[in-house]
Amino acid sequence: RGRGPEKRSVIQLARYLFVPASGTSTGIFMRVPDEYNIVFTLDDPSKEFSDKFIKLSNFVSKSGLPFSNQQNNGQYPNAAIKYELASCSTLSPTTQSKPTLPPTRMIIPVTPSPTFETPCTEQTLTTRMNGDVLNKGTMFDVTPVRNKDVLVTGVSLQIDSNETDIPVRIWIKNGTVVGGPEQDPTAWTPLERGSIRRGRGLGKKSVVRLPKFISAPALQTTGVFFLLPEHVNIVFTYQESKEFEDDFINLSNFVGKAGVAFSTDATLGLYPNAAIKYELELCQ
């Protein structure tokens, strides 16, 4: 969703961009359709932005055809670059896949002045990791508790598998997951399949790659449902009426699912050992 001038619009990448720590630079080129424009600031061609881990430099703006000679050196985009530090990865940089990541996310803003408004702040709400119950699927409610819409940008689950490329079926719905929807497929909207690129086994959280961000409107309940294959289990903890809440969202009405997606095999009070990443839309 484009958010217009003076606000940043989120680009959902088709895949993560892997940048090796080899001392060499990785170039990136992004282009929007002809009817849209990116906002730039003109500065010295040597302008750079850096933090403790990465540096952004050699900014070039392009107009016209993608690789024409219509370009301006020194025009940097009004933007923010999010990245995570790779750790303990056995992947080759040439695979262009997301490596195993620690829970470290950094944001480097590229802004024209200190007064430029930052639209989104990433947060993480984590449940407990002390589970001893296994089930195939999890349903629960996501409710923003302030008058701000939320985008769920990431989900991590403790699972009992170290396999790679585990498919994850995902559904969403307006309203709560309990009171009938547990067994009613017509109440849900299926998303494209997500995946767990690499299972990290018991005691750790495995990242679910979402096919798209999940929108949760302010002060309304959005139900989510994640289902794993028959041979893979999510780790749950049983605690009736348990809720998790921070300053911005509430997670509640947890349901553990076994067997077929919308069968009667549903257990209330089973919450997944999980972490939910989300962003607030602060500039509406």
Side-chain angles (χ1 to χ4, degrees), residues 175-239:
T176 182
V177 304
V178 297
E182 310 98 308
Q183 302 170 29
D184 181 9
T186 65
W188 296 82
T189 299
L191 302 184
E192 293 182 18
R193 291 202 177 195
S195 66
I196 296 174
R197 180 57 59 88
R198 190 176 82 173
R200 305 190 66 212
L202 297 174
K204 298 180 180 179
K205 298 189 185 80
S206 301
V207 175
V208 177
R209 298 185 65 177
L210 301 177
K212 67 177 184 178
F213 297 149
I214 298 173
S215 178
L219 305 177
Q220 300 178 40
T221 295
T222 298
V224 296
F225 179 17
F226 298 89
L227 184 66
L228 273 58
E230 279 292 323
H231 63 286
V232 182
N233 293 286
I234 302 169
V235 179
F236 291 83
T237 301
Y238 179 76
Q239 187 172 352

Side-chain angles (χ1 to χ4, degrees), residues 82-136:
K82 290 186 178 180
Y83 66 93
E84 293 181 342
L85 304 179
S87 176
C88 306
S89 174
T90 59
L91 295 177
S92 165
T94 60
T95 64
Q96 292 295 302
S97 298
K98 186 182 179 185
T100 303
L101 299 173
T104 303
R105 176 165 292 215
M106 314 296 288
I107 301 176
I108 179 167
V110 183
T111 58
S113 71
T115 60
F116 190 90
E117 193 174 25
T118 302
C120 298
T121 302
E122 186 168 72
Q123 309 285 333
T124 301
L125 180 55
T126 303
T127 69
R128 296 172 184 168
M129 289 286 288
N130 60 346
D132 57 3
V133 180
L134 301 180
N135 248 333
K136 306 297 180 188

